[in-house]
Amino acid sequence: MMTISPINAFSDNYIWLIERGQQAFVVDPGEPDPVLTRLAERGLELAGILITHHHFDHTGAVQVLQEKTGCDTWGPASSPAGIFDHTVTEGDRASVLGESFEVLEVPGHTLDHIAYFCSAQSALFCGDTLFVGGCGRVFEGTTAQMRASLEKLSALPTDTRIYCAHEYTLGNLAFAQMVEPDNVALSTFVAACQDKRARDVPTVPSVLEGELSYNPFLRWSSAAIRQTLIDAGRLRDDSPDGVFSAVREWKNQA
Ligand code: ZN
Ligand code: FE
């Protein structure tokens, strides 16, 4: 059986640990020590590393882990992070402990950003593209690129679990409630997440079906969000890209 669990890193990063038997993969290891500690505690051998994008909080441990374990690495083909053993692009597949992980290109946060989707486990590892209740900042791409990437992820099966790389949920949801105050699915989810955080339990993974109901960065078709933007004098372009850009810009300033 394959299991997926978080390893905490820095102040709010999750490095995802994928285990089957005594073998493991990690996704986006920014720091080596928490990974090495967990591997030792559980008696696991590191077989591979999956990277979603070049930022240091996702790649900082790659070299050390590779040297210490000799594991293989997978990462985006056009990445400033350097050379991986396996460079992957849209539609490529990585074999992860006997399961097939499909690569989706999701530029926007960075231009090299990719996500890994495992249909057998209904699991998506999406780095800093889609967050629980939010999305990554658009650093390198355009907001239109980012929205297209999120639209691609929205089309995955609705039971897909969203393994993103940061615990940003409560801040994201506070913003979501500002742009869509009457969303009942959102207020129900906020209460559940506040309860988890009070007990120091991760809010990640969430489920795509839920994200579609409360995440304002997937809700460019919401009449309520459009109305909030209009009332705030923030909707300059009434199109999906215009709504998404206005929401992203507002969040950047909030
Ligand atoms: Zn990032
Ligand atoms: Fe990050």
Side-chain angles (χ1 to χ4, degrees), residues 4-17 26-39 41 57 61 164-168 196-197 199-205:
I4 306 168
S5 58
I7 299 172
N8 292 305
F10 304 110
S11 57
D12 52 31
N13 281 70
Y14 292 129
I15 298 167
W16 292 103
L17 175 72
V26 285
V27 184
D28 284 355
E31 279 193 298
D33 291 350
V35 175
L36 292 167
T37 302
R38 181 72 63 87
L39 293 172
E41 278 169 5
D57 62 309
C164 59
H166 289 274
E167 179 64 61
Y168 288 160
K196 281 186 177 166
R197 295 313 294 149
R199 293 180 287 118
D200 208 24
V201 171
T203 62
V204 189

Side-chain angles (χ1 to χ4, degrees), residues 16 29 63 93 141 160-161 168 175 183 186 204 212 223 231 252:
W16 292 103
Q63 216 185 326
R93 287 172 180 276
T160 300
R161 284 169 299 150
Y168 288 160
F175 173 77
N183 183 329
L186 174 58
V204 189
L212 294 168
D231 293 346
N252 292 347

Side-chain angles (χ1 to χ4, degrees), residues 64-129:
V64 172
L65 292 175
Q66 227 178 347
E67 281 166 12
K68 292 212 173 193
T69 69
C71 70
D72 265 17
T73 58
W74 282 257
S78 57
S79 182
I83 308 295
F84 302 103
D85 299 312
H86 309 269
T87 53
V88 288
T89 57
E90 179 77 24
D92 284 348
R93 287 172 180 276
S95 175
V96 176
L97 307 177
E99 301 280 19
S100 175
F101 281 41
E102 184 187 349
V103 173
L104 304 166
E105 289 182 351
V106 286
H109 175 70
T110 62
L111 290 174
D112 70 341
H113 209 305
I114 57 175
Y116 298 88
F117 175 61
C118 175
S119 63
Q121 299 286 329
S122 301
L124 175 73
F125 298 90
C126 52
D128 289 355
T129 296

Side-chain angles (χ1 to χ4, degrees), residues 24-252:
F25 267 61
V26 285
V27 184
D28 284 355
E31 279 193 298
D33 291 350
V35 175
L36 292 167
T37 302
R38 181 72 63 87
L39 293 172
E41 278 169 5
R42 299 189 55 78
L44 294 166
E45 182 194 326
L46 189 65
I49 295 174
L50 304 180
I51 296 297
T52 63
H53 68 293
H54 68 86
H55 285 159
F56 184 76
D57 62 309
H58 301 252
T59 57
V62 171
Q63 216 185 326
V64 172
L65 292 175
Q66 227 178 347
E67 281 166 12
K68 292 212 173 193
T69 69
C71 70
D72 265 17
T73 58
W74 282 257
S78 57
S79 182
I83 308 295
F84 302 103
D85 299 312
H86 309 269
T87 53
V88 288
T89 57
E90 179 77 24
D92 284 348
R93 287 172 180 276
S95 175
V96 176
L97 307 177
E99 301 280 19
S100 175
F101 281 41
E102 184 187 349
V103 173
L104 304 166
E105 289 182 351
V106 286
H109 175 70
T110 62
L111 290 174
D112 70 341
H113 209 305
I114 57 175
Y116 298 88
F117 175 61
C118 175
S119 63
Q121 299 286 329
S122 301
L124 175 73
F125 298 90
C126 52
D128 289 355
T129 296
L130 177 60
F131 289 131
V132 179
C135 77
R137 280 178 186 254
V138 181
F139 286 125
E140 296 177 5
T142 64
T143 51
Q145 256 178 332
M146 186 65 160
R147 194 188 70 78
S149 293
L150 292 166
E151 190 160 29
K152 185 191 276 189
L153 299 182
S154 314
L156 292 171
T158 54
D159 64 351
T160 300
R161 284 169 299 150
I162 308 299
Y163 291 91
C164 59
H166 289 274
E167 179 64 61
Y168 288 160
T169 305
L170 292 186
N172 287 339
L173 294 177
F175 173 77
Q177 288 195 297
M178 187 179 75
V179 298
E180 204 175 9
D182 299 326
N183 183 329
V184 176
L186 174 58
S187 35
T188 307
F189 187 65
V190 168
C193 290
Q194 284 172 337
D195 178 62
K196 281 186 177 166
R197 295 313 294 149
R199 293 180 287 118
D200 208 24
V201 171
T203 62
V204 189
S206 61
V207 178
L208 181 58
E209 184 173 29
E211 293 300 323
L212 294 168
S213 74
Y214 56 69
N215 187 329
F217 295 97
L218 300 178
R219 294 177 57 72
W220 46 79
S221 305
S222 157
I225 291 180
R226 284 177 55 248
Q227 193 56 53
T228 304
L229 293 171
I230 290 165
D231 293 346
R234 288 177 169 272
L235 190 65
R236 287 183 296 278
D237 161 18
D238 193 359
S239 69
D241 282 340
V243 170
F244 177 79
S245 295
V247 174
R248 187 59 263 177
E249 208 169 288
W250 200 353
K251 176 71 163 61
N252 292 347

